[in-house]
């Protein structure tokens, strides 16, 4: 990249000091020199544009941060776009990866960084210890890693850095991260405003853990052909007895609708197919008559697998639907939730 100036570049610089008359009196061979000069100028301009673009991108580069909780170092990736509105507290989105993933892999899967640039939102990508989340903390005497504490402290850490809007803190989770998002939704006094869950469901022990949670807004996206977190739920035999691992998608939707005081059944709509996802389609279910300012929605991806719909990345498991974009749907849901609950919706 750092090369010495070419002969043509030197000639270009020299010719720049000549007068217009002198250039007109040059021999015909100077035409070739002038052409080379023009090419050199073009290369210089393109180089400057590249540098400017790199400098602009550097202003929004992600930062790796550490937190120490109980002697354990916890990490997360923080993306702060240059498009934040001056003087306006920005919203914060936590994006929780699936089992085996990392904060960086969640950024790649979802494309939330690009959305953050357009919408002016800070995105935090936490790392689960051992690349997973302990959403069962407090269930059946589980006293393992307290990821609830970690994520709450993460929100406080970002607030200390950037003075975020406390009324616009959101969580999106995929698979194991989606289970963790629902664990946060059960937490009394949670600072989270709304939740987006992809390829995850209610978990064993969740009703008892949640009790009667405060009304929340919950968006669920689930594939009917998901073999990792089955649409119809999953169980396992532990010490001779059957234990619920995950509730069905329908029961999960009903649980959050009931918890949020939605009493009017559900409305169904079939989303248009774009032709980009042969063999799959999407049905939207919206709980009706919920408490003011709250919504519960389920997108059922018919024949869809264990994936993040709309992602340009390789499929995690099974068919990927691209009639919808989970990243855009979740953000639209968060925006509308902030608006309906009296908060300030993020700027377009």
């Amino acid at each position: 990249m750092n090369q010495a100036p070419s002969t043509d570049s030197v000639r270009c610089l020299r010719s720049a000091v000549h007068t217009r008359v002198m250039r007109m009196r040059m021999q015909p061979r100077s035409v070739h020199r002038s052409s080379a000069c023009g090419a050199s100028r073009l290369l210089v301009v393109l180089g400057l544009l590249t540098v400017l673009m790199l400098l602009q991108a550097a202003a929004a580069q992600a930062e790796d941060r550490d937190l120490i909780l109980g002697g354990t170092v916890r990490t997360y990736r923080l993306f702060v776009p240059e498009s934040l509105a001056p003087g306006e507290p920005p919203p914060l989105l936590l994006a929780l990866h699936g089992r085996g993933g990392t904060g960086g892999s969640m950024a790649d899967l979802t494309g939330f960084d690009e959305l953050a640039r357009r919408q002016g939102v800070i995105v935090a990508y936490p790392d689960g210890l051992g690349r997973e989340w302990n959403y069962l903390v407090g269930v059946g005497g589980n006293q393992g890693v307290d990821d609830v504490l970690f994520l709450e402290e993460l929100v406080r850490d970002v607030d200390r850095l950037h003075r975020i809007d406390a009324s616009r803190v959101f969580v999106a989770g995929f698979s194991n991260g989606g289970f963790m998002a629902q664990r946060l939704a059960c937490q009394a006094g949670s600072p989270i405003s709304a939740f987006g869950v992809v390829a995850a469901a209610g978990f064993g022990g969740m009703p008892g853990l949640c009790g009667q949670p405060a009304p929340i807004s919950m968006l669920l996206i689930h594939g009917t052909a998901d073999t990792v977190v089955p649409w119809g739920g999953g169980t396992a035999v532990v010490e001779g007895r059957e234990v619920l691992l995950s509730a069905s998608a329908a029961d999960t939707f009903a649980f959050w609708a009931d918890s949020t005081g939605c009493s009017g059944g559900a409305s169904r709509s079939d989303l248009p197919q774009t032709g980009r996802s042969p063999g799959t389609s999407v049905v939207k279910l919206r709980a009706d008559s919920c408490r003011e300012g709250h919504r519960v929605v389920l997108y059922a991806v018919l024949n869809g697998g264990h994936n993040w719909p709309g992602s340009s990345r390789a499929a995690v498991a099974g068919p990927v639907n691209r009639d919808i974009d989970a990243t855009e749907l979740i953000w639209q849901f968060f925006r509308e939730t902030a608006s309906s609950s009296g908060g300030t919706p993020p700027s377009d």
Side-chain angles (χ1 to χ4, degrees), residues 287-341:
D288 295 329
S289 302
C290 300
R291 295 187 189 180
E292 184 177 356
H294 299 287
R295 297 178 303 137
V296 178
V297 176
L298 167 64
Y299 286 89
V301 183
L302 306 184
N303 296 319
H306 188 74
N307 293 297
W308 187 274
S311 175
S312 60
R313 297 294 175 177
V316 177
V320 182
N321 179 274
R322 292 190 172 88
D323 294 326
I324 60 173
D325 185 324
T327 299
E328 296 293 340
L329 277 180
I330 288 172
W331 185 246
Q332 180 182 3
F333 181 79
F334 290 164
R335 280 177 50 85
E336 292 172 353
T337 297
S339 179
S340 62
S341 62

Side-chain angles (χ1 to χ4, degrees), residues 5-348:
S6 66
T7 302
D8 288 337
S9 296
V10 173
R11 289 171 178 168
C12 174
L13 293 174
R14 288 174 178 172
S15 66
V17 301
H18 291 334
T19 67
R20 185 178 182 85
V21 174
M22 292 178 65
R23 288 200 301 269
M24 292 175 63
R25 293 177 178 175
M26 287 183 177
Q27 299 299 320
R29 64 178 178 177
S30 67
V31 173
H32 301 288
R33 185 178 302 167
S34 179
S35 298
C37 178
S40 297
R41 283 177 178 154
L42 178 60
L43 290 174
V44 170
V45 171
L46 290 175
L48 289 174
L49 288 174
T50 301
V51 170
L52 289 174
M53 291 174 64
L54 290 173
L55 289 173
Q56 184 177 26
Q61 285 182 348
E63 173 190 5
D64 294 323
R65 291 189 57 78
D66 296 341
L67 292 174
I68 299 178
L69 298 175
T72 301
V73 178
R74 302 301 306 267
T75 59
Y76 71 96
R77 177 183 184 273
L78 185 65
F79 182 83
V80 182
E82 67 278 6
S83 57
L84 295 182
E88 179 181 331
L92 170 64
L93 169 61
L94 274 63
L96 309 182
H97 63 74
R99 179 174 283 112
T102 64
S105 68
M106 186 65 174
D108 291 340
L109 177 69
T110 62
F112 273 131
D113 284 359
E114 177 56 33
L115 182 141
R117 288 189 181 96
R118 290 186 282 108
Q119 300 291 345
V121 56
I122 295 175
V123 187
Y125 302 92
D127 298 307
L129 281 183
R131 299 195 169 200
E132 65 178 353
W133 300 104
N134 184 24
Y135 58 89
L136 293 174
V137 63
V139 176
N142 183 317
Q143 298 299 323
V145 177
D146 191 343
D147 280 323
V148 172
L149 177 62
F150 166 48
L151 296 174
E152 290 179 343
E153 182 55 38
L154 186 157
V155 172
R156 287 189 284 269
D157 189 50
V158 178
D159 184 51
R160 284 191 290 266
L161 292 170
H162 298 286
R163 299 295 297 272
I164 60 174
D165 184 344
S167 69
R168 296 186 292 162
V169 179
F170 311 108
V171 172
F174 174 68
S175 192
N176 180 247
F179 285 98
M180 189 65 219
Q182 292 178 94
R183 176 65 181 83
L184 287 174
C186 286
Q187 194 70 11
S190 172
I192 312 303
S193 306
F195 302 82
V197 172
V198 180
F203 53 87
M206 188 173 80
L209 184 69
C210 287
Q212 186 60 40
I216 53 106
S217 289
M218 177 71 71
L219 173 66
L220 304 164
I221 303 175
H222 207 126
T224 63
D226 191 327
T227 58
V228 179
V229 182
W231 171 269
T235 61
V237 176
V238 179
E239 297 180 351
R241 63 189 183 91
E242 190 175 45
V243 175
L244 177 69
L245 297 180
S246 63
S248 69
D251 285 346
T252 304
F253 174 66
F255 174 83
W256 290 114
D258 180 68
S259 299
T260 306
C262 308
S263 58
S267 300
R268 170 182 170 141
S269 58
D270 297 318
L271 273 61
Q273 292 182 271
T274 63
R276 300 177 60 210
S277 308
T280 68
S281 58
V282 182
V283 173
K284 177 182 178 180
L285 297 174
R286 186 193 67 211
D288 295 329
S289 302
C290 300
R291 295 187 189 180
E292 184 177 356
H294 299 287
R295 297 178 303 137
V296 178
V297 176
L298 167 64
Y299 286 89
V301 183
L302 306 184
N303 296 319
H306 188 74
N307 293 297
W308 187 274
S311 175
S312 60
R313 297 294 175 177
V316 177
V320 182
N321 179 274
R322 292 190 172 88
D323 294 326
I324 60 173
D325 185 324
T327 299
E328 296 293 340
L329 277 180
I330 288 172
W331 185 246
Q332 180 182 3
F333 181 79
F334 290 164
R335 280 177 50 85
E336 292 172 353
T337 297
S339 179
S340 62
S341 62
T344 303
S347 59
D348 288 322

